[in-house]
Amino acid sequence: MKVIEAMRIAMRALAANKLRSILTMLGIIIGVGAVIALMSIGRGVEKYVTDQFAGLGSNLLFVAPGQISDGPPTLRANPVKSLTLGDMVAIGDRSQVPHASQVAADFQTRATVERSGKSVSVQASATTPSYPNVRSWKTTMGAYFSELDAEERQRVVLLGSDTYEELFPNGEYPIDQIVQVNGMNFRVIGVMESKGGGPGGNLDKSIFLPLTTGQDRLFKQKNPNGEYKVSVIYASIDEADNIPLAQEEIAQLMRERRGVQYLDQDDFSIISQNDLIAVFGDILGALTIFLGAIAAISLLVGGIGIMNIMLVSVTERTREIGLRKAVGAKRADVLIQFLIEAMALAAVGGVIGVTLGWGLARAVSTFFGEFQAVVGADAIIISLVVATAVGLFFGIFPAYRASRLNPIDALRYE
């Protein structure tokens, strides 16, 4: 029997039982739809997180106290020697770290900001004037504070976009308005552009003020030598290819400054922007595969459904099979016909499932705005191939059983 003829007969047989065929395909439709939707959403999350880290700045290195593997500072058994503003100045010295084009420092803590009876708890970042350039973070209103503001310990503050909306709910112009930070009056000089979520939480619910002002007037965090403490030092490297070399240069400089002896473990961490992207990318990539694997279980269930229905079909069409064999049909002809029916069920279900999964992914993207699910061609192709393979695999036994029927017994079957 020619394959084209077998396909025609198979389609006619499936069309004769439309409802049963649709219900049989349902498992494949749900399985393929779930695989496409979950993998697309997983990849979208991976891209979103990668873009967030890429938005932190250009070719950044992060220097933090303690070893990251020891956990957050609040959970460490032994106190960690803090970083200082002097460390930032040393890293910014091109004679010691030639590839560091710009550096900035940041002391982070919680603070309460008040205006007109409205109180907001925010992340307070006491920074150096170079901070917005190193972090590629611009203002939407006003301007960042200057070196002169830092030298004079001016009580000036910039608001994150969410902080601005909470303190100025009616959209008032905030520049030169007075707000209270931990009970002290500060003059608003700018509003930062929205960054959304990021390492450490919501970056937009924050305020920014000069490091000198924050440490002298508000937080009063200095080491025994009277140096300003900082939470993180950022170093922007001139070229991406120079990042590994710059890491070595900064590590050697910090070991000397902090008195770390040879073979002793460093009491600081240097993390590159690429390291953060790679770590989170690996985690989210594995999560995407895991979600896809969980969804693929539906394909297995759908395949079992196809086998069940095909076995029923063989029983119902026993006389038809016997008649065909009696007029000259070979075992291979019957085998091919039933295999094509099983594969057709799976393939059509797969196409519908791809459409369903794509629609779900688009709906999620529309609902969440900035987040965009990524529907990959590879996911679509793999889902369709796997769905068809499932139909073939689970259709083999019913097709084989049909091809082995004795024509005399089949013709006498009632």
Side-chain angles (χ1 to χ4, degrees), residues 122-125 137 158-160 163 202-208:
V122 298
Q123 175 76 43
S125 292
W137 201 344
L158 293 98
L159 309 178
T163 306
N202 183 4
L203 300 178
D204 295 332
K205 195 166 185 177
S206 54
I207 60 171
F208 303 86

Side-chain angles (χ1 to χ4, degrees), residues 112-128:
T112 300
V113 187
E114 298 176 273
R115 175 183 179 269
S116 301
K118 178 71 173 178
S119 178
V120 182
S121 177
V122 298
Q123 175 76 43
S125 292
T127 71
T128 54

Side-chain angles (χ1 to χ4, degrees), residues 49-205:
V49 171
T50 300
D51 290 344
Q52 292 298 309
F53 278 111
L56 293 177
S58 178
N59 300 332
L60 275 187
L61 289 178
F62 304 83
V63 185
Q67 287 292 312
I68 298 299
S69 58
D70 295 336
T74 55
L75 300 180
R76 291 169 182 161
N78 299 314
V80 176
K81 183 179 179 182
S82 60
L83 298 176
T84 67
L85 186 60
D87 294 327
M88 184 210 76
V89 173
I91 293 173
D93 184 349
R94 298 298 290 268
S95 66
Q96 300 190 76
V97 186
H99 299 295
S101 58
Q102 291 189 90
V103 293
D106 181 4
F107 178 82
Q108 301 172 355
T109 188
R110 300 299 298 179
T112 300
V113 187
E114 298 176 273
R115 175 183 179 269
S116 301
K118 178 71 173 178
S119 178
V120 182
S121 177
V122 298
Q123 175 76 43
S125 292
T127 71
T128 54
S130 56
Y131 181 84
N133 294 328
V134 175
R135 293 290 305 273
S136 300
W137 201 344
K138 300 177 182 178
T139 59
T140 56
M141 284 186 277
Y144 213 76
F145 56 81
S146 64
E147 290 284 357
L148 182 61
D149 291 329
E151 291 175 4
E152 295 181 350
R153 279 70 171 168
Q154 292 289 336
R155 288 186 291 178
V156 293
V157 66
L158 293 98
L159 309 178
S161 59
D162 285 357
T163 306
Y164 161 67
E165 291 175 2
E166 292 193 41
L167 294 177
F168 297 85
N170 298 319
E172 304 104 306
Y173 189 64
I175 306 304
D176 290 331
Q177 297 291 321
I178 300 299
V179 298
Q180 289 76 43
V181 180
N182 287 356
M184 184 176 293
N185 287 342
F186 275 75
R187 179 171 58 91
V188 178
I189 61 171
V191 176
M192 305 298 290
E193 68 178 355
S194 177
K195 281 281 190 177
N202 183 4
L203 300 178
D204 295 332
K205 195 166 185 177

Side-chain angles (χ1 to χ4, degrees), residues 185-342:
N185 287 342
F186 275 75
R187 179 171 58 91
V188 178
I189 61 171
V191 176
M192 305 298 290
E193 68 178 355
S194 177
K195 281 281 190 177
N202 183 4
L203 300 178
D204 295 332
K205 195 166 185 177
S206 54
I207 60 171
F208 303 86
L209 60 153
L211 177 66
T212 50
T213 304
Q215 295 293 39
D216 282 343
R217 297 179 181 269
L218 287 176
F219 314 127
K220 303 186 185 299
Q221 294 287 327
K222 295 184 179 180
N223 68 7
N225 295 327
E227 296 180 290
Y228 295 124
K229 291 183 180 180
V230 299
S231 303
V232 187
I233 296 172
Y234 309 93
S236 180
I237 308 307
D238 52 9
E239 299 288 344
D241 293 340
N242 293 330
I243 289 178
L245 179 58
Q247 279 184 285
E248 291 295 330
E249 293 169 348
I250 294 174
Q252 182 59 38
L253 173 63
M254 293 299 293
R255 287 177 65 88
E256 293 175 0
R257 288 184 56 84
R258 297 167 72 86
V260 179
Q261 299 299 314
Y262 180 68
L263 296 181
D264 286 350
Q265 184 183 36
D266 292 341
D267 60 353
F268 59 90
S269 299
I270 303 175
I271 307 165
S272 74
Q273 195 172 3
N274 294 335
D275 291 337
L276 292 174
I277 294 174
V279 169
F280 277 86
D282 290 343
I283 294 172
L284 294 172
L287 179 61
T288 300
I289 295 173
F290 176 74
L291 292 175
I294 294 298
I297 294 176
S298 298
L299 287 175
L300 179 63
V301 175
I304 295 173
I306 289 176
M307 176 185 284
N308 181 48
I309 292 302
M310 292 307 298
L311 286 172
V312 172
S313 180
V314 169
T315 302
E316 289 180 345
R317 296 158 63 187
T318 298
R319 285 179 61 83
E320 175 192 331
I321 296 169
L323 181 61
R324 287 186 178 173
K325 282 195 168 186
V327 296
K330 299 178 181 179
R331 287 182 177 179
D333 297 330
V334 177
L335 180 71
I336 290 173
Q337 177 188 334
F338 278 88
L339 281 178
I340 289 176
E341 288 185 24

Side-chain angles (χ1 to χ4, degrees), residues 358-381:
W358 180 86
L360 289 173
R362 297 307 304 165
V364 170
S365 298
T366 302
F367 183 77
F368 286 101
E370 291 184 2
F371 170 80
Q372 293 294 315
V374 180
V375 182
D378 57 338
I380 293 175
I381 294 172

